[in-house]
Amino acid sequence: MAKSVRQSLYYVLLWLISIAFFLPVLWIFLAAFKTKEQILAIPPKWIFTPTFENISNMFSGMNFEKYAVNSVIISLSAVVIAIIVSFFASYSFSRYKPKGTDFLMFLLLSMRMVPGAAVVVPIYLMYTALGWKDTYYGIILLYAMFSIPFSVWILKGFIDGVSLRYDETALVNGGSRMHVMFRVILPQVKPGLVAAFIFNIIFVWNEFLFNFIIGGKKVTTIPVALATGLYKTHGVDWTFIASLSLVYMLPLILMIYFFQRYLLVGMTFGTVRGEV
Amino acid sequence: MKGIAKWLHERNLFPYALLVPVLIFFIVWNILPLLWMVGLSFYKYDITTGEPLKFLGMDNYQAIFRDHGIWQALSKTFLFVILAVGLETILGMALGFLFWGSSKMPGRRLALTLLFSPMILTPVAAGTFFRLIYDPVFGIANYYLEAWFGLKINFLGDVKWAYPAVLMVDIWMWTPFMILMTLAALGSVPKAELEAAQVDRLPWIRRLWHIVLPHGKFILMLGILLRTIDAFKTMDLIYTMTSGGPGNATELIAISLFRKAFEAFTMGNASALAIISLLIAIAFTSIYLYILNYKERRA
């Protein structure tokens, strides 16, 4: 009996910690359903009659749909391109171990060490010179580049874990290399693909700096719309920020709820496969 | 498609062909801009004035070494990295251990989703909203501070408080990441060894030292490495909160860089600074990788 009480207290403590970390996010989400006066009210209002006006205003006002569609198209295509390209490379790294594999793997990781504010200067100059500013392919391929290093690391870990016998059996039975890669190996590394996808989409979905600098009217995503749409005539437009943040964050929250296992796999480059 | 693969295969080129797309990305988006940047760092290049490029040699670098503001920004950045990563690691590991035995907790998935929610929040949104939370008049933080402790602090407007205030937000956002990494590290410890330790009644501190750390240290170090790199790069969170102010109290190196490039438009100068920060980032990473390898070699 004493043990089960202790256990319950332990679970209550863990729940309280989780909620404590969630509180600021909750405060933003609540604001999405408040009027402007309620958001700025002192003492703070935790209980109130929710209004859906902010969210409906957001959908009808500004170019919400355009920015949201941009966010979805750009994030999805960048990450998918990165994963396809990375799958080829990691298959090669894992199965053929070409000369310089270790060095190339390190170089790839170093792509992500560079501070964004440092890369953005030359990228900006290059994009201006080549006329790639404010184009979909310009921004998509740039984000794909950012997503490649971790995808290669994660996928190589997974392909290493698939026994070579599968390749050999398929080849002996007359399958081509393409057949081996797509029909034999690919289905077995699905968790790796999901993990790489989740890991990278979190970054790309929230990315601000590059889209702000090398993007433009055509390819604006929500984070940039959020940063540039802050001010109304009377100071910061809190209802707008709150409702936009809520709508924009929901897909990611649902994703880490339903694919929680893969979040862990991705964060450790596939070195951990089990449950958290 | 099949024909091409076979042709490449007969000539042993197939493995390299598979690498071509990644290499193209690497060359076009990394090597080229990098060379471009190295080149520019020797020139005077202001976008706004439209003057032709002017070769300066090492002048940009010398100017940076003489620039008092840059040294301040650098020391603020180092302090930020040490404090943020240090506290996130300590807190994350402690909470990670606490969550270790929770696999049968009711609603665990939902609890963990809430726990991890700060790190998936768009930094721009988080930064903006914390301006309201920290606001001296309308902010919830000050309301409770005053109600409970009788204090009133202008977090982001006071030179003394702005730095710890933005540090707190970073710690709130990224401690969950270190919790996640700690859980991952703990998950990689073989169950059999833990059970053996249980049978031997090893004290928990020795279990930690002799069993958990040797197995989990790689993942923990990876977490610390990723956090160090990202903390060094911190930009949009702080920029939306304070734009580096008040004064330059929260101006980290990434913000100085952004200002030089896109507020002053002195691209040559910014390139030189970018290269210096790049070298610092590489030094960080090499030290970590060296420590990791060194320990492994000794073990």
Side-chain angles (χ1 to χ4, degrees), chain A residues 10 21 46 92 125 127 206 249, chain B residues 15 29 40 98 122 144 172:
Chain A
Y10 169 64
F21 272 94
W46 288 96
S92 172
L125 296 170
Y127 270 44
N206 289 330
M249 235 190 117
Chain B
W29 277 274
L40 261 185
L98 200 58
T122 316
Y144 286 114
W172 163 72

Side-chain angles (χ1 to χ4, degrees), chain A residues 200-237:
Chain A
N200 288 308
I201 203 99
I202 293 175
F203 171 78
V204 176
W205 188 252
N206 289 330
E207 210 288 326
F208 161 75
L209 179 64
F210 284 90
N211 193 291
F212 182 60
I213 297 296
I214 63 157
K217 275 197 186 123
K218 210 167 77 190
V219 299
T220 301
T221 51
I222 299 269
V224 174
L226 198 113
T228 48
L230 288 183
Y231 297 99
K232 251 192 340 197
T233 35
H234 305 288
V236 182
D237 191 352

Side-chain angles (χ1 to χ4, degrees), chain A residues 3-218:
Chain A
K3 203 187 164 197
S4 79
V5 171
R6 243 179 63 188
Q7 180 118 48
S8 310
L9 281 178
Y10 169 64
Y11 289 153
V12 169
L13 174 70
L14 296 189
W15 261 101
L16 286 178
I17 294 170
S18 306
I19 292 170
F21 272 94
F22 180 65
L23 271 183
V25 180
L26 177 70
W27 193 240
I28 301 179
F29 285 1
L30 285 181
F33 300 103
K34 290 178 183 173
T35 61
K36 193 182 168 231
E37 288 69 33
Q38 284 169 330
I39 292 178
L40 298 176
I42 285 292
K45 278 198 190 311
W46 288 96
I47 295 159
F48 54 93
T49 355
T51 164
F52 293 90
E53 210 173 295
N54 302 327
I55 294 177
S56 67
N57 277 350
M58 184 191 70
F59 279 112
S60 60
M62 69 169 223
N63 287 318
F64 173 78
E65 272 151 54
K66 189 186 148 195
Y67 301 146
V69 168
N70 275 344
S71 272
V72 172
I73 290 178
I74 291 172
S75 311
L76 286 184
S77 17
V79 176
V80 168
I81 290 172
I83 289 177
I84 294 169
V85 173
S86 306
F87 178 69
F88 288 132
S90 39
Y91 184 82
S92 172
F93 283 142
S94 171
R95 289 304 192 242
Y96 297 102
K97 300 186 179 62
K99 256 187 203 145
T101 295
D102 288 340
F103 178 66
L104 276 174
M105 292 285 285
F106 175 78
L107 261 191
L108 279 175
L109 193 61
S110 73
M111 277 160 84
R112 279 304 298 271
M113 292 173 206
V114 187
V119 205
V120 78
V121 175
I123 296 267
Y124 170 82
L125 296 170
M126 185 174 104
Y127 270 44
T128 319
L130 297 174
W132 289 359
K133 271 189 75 190
D134 199 14
T135 60
Y136 281 100
Y137 58 85
I139 197 93
I140 287 173
L141 292 177
L142 179 75
Y143 283 158
M145 183 276 286
F146 280 112
S147 308
I148 286 174
F150 287 157
S151 307
V152 172
W153 275 73
I154 292 168
L155 288 175
K156 178 174 180 288
F158 272 85
I159 300 177
D160 281 346
V162 178
S163 167
L164 260 176
R165 280 160 198 257
Y166 285 100
D167 302 45
E168 283 158 9
T169 314
L171 287 174
V172 166
N173 288 328
S176 68
R177 272 288 162 180
M178 286 290 159
H179 175 84
V180 174
M181 278 172 65
F182 288 105
R183 292 289 156 80
V184 182
I185 303 295
L186 194 66
Q188 299 197 51
V189 298
K190 258 184 205 152
L193 300 174
V194 180
F197 179 84
I198 291 177
F199 189 92
N200 288 308
I201 203 99
I202 293 175
F203 171 78
V204 176
W205 188 252
N206 289 330
E207 210 288 326
F208 161 75
L209 179 64
F210 284 90
N211 193 291
F212 182 60
I213 297 296
I214 63 157
K217 275 197 186 123
K218 210 167 77 190

Side-chain angles (χ1 to χ4, degrees), chain B residues 187-251:
Chain B
S188 70
V189 180
K191 289 237 162 51
E193 289 188 31
L194 283 171
E195 278 157 15
Q198 185 108 35
V199 172
D200 291 345
R201 295 185 177 280
L202 222 57
W204 70 269
I205 184 91
R206 292 185 58 195
R207 276 185 219 178
L208 198 68
W209 193 254
H210 293 293
I211 300 166
V212 175
L213 273 187
H215 286 289
K217 70 165 190 254
F218 174 75
I219 296 172
L220 280 176
M221 284 300 280
L222 191 66
I224 296 173
L225 172 67
L226 290 178
R227 267 318 294 145
T228 308
I229 295 170
D230 279 350
F232 186 69
K233 296 197 286 195
T234 307
M235 145 100 212
D236 26 6
L237 182 69
I238 296 183
Y239 195 77
T240 41
M241 238 184 303
T242 63
S243 314
N248 53 7
T250 54
E251 183 170 320

Side-chain angles (χ1 to χ4, degrees), chain B residues 162-177:
Chain B
Y163 190 84
V166 295
L167 185 69
M168 276 295 294
V169 178
D170 193 81
I171 290 171
W172 163 72
M173 269 190 99
W174 293 108
T175 297
F177 175 74

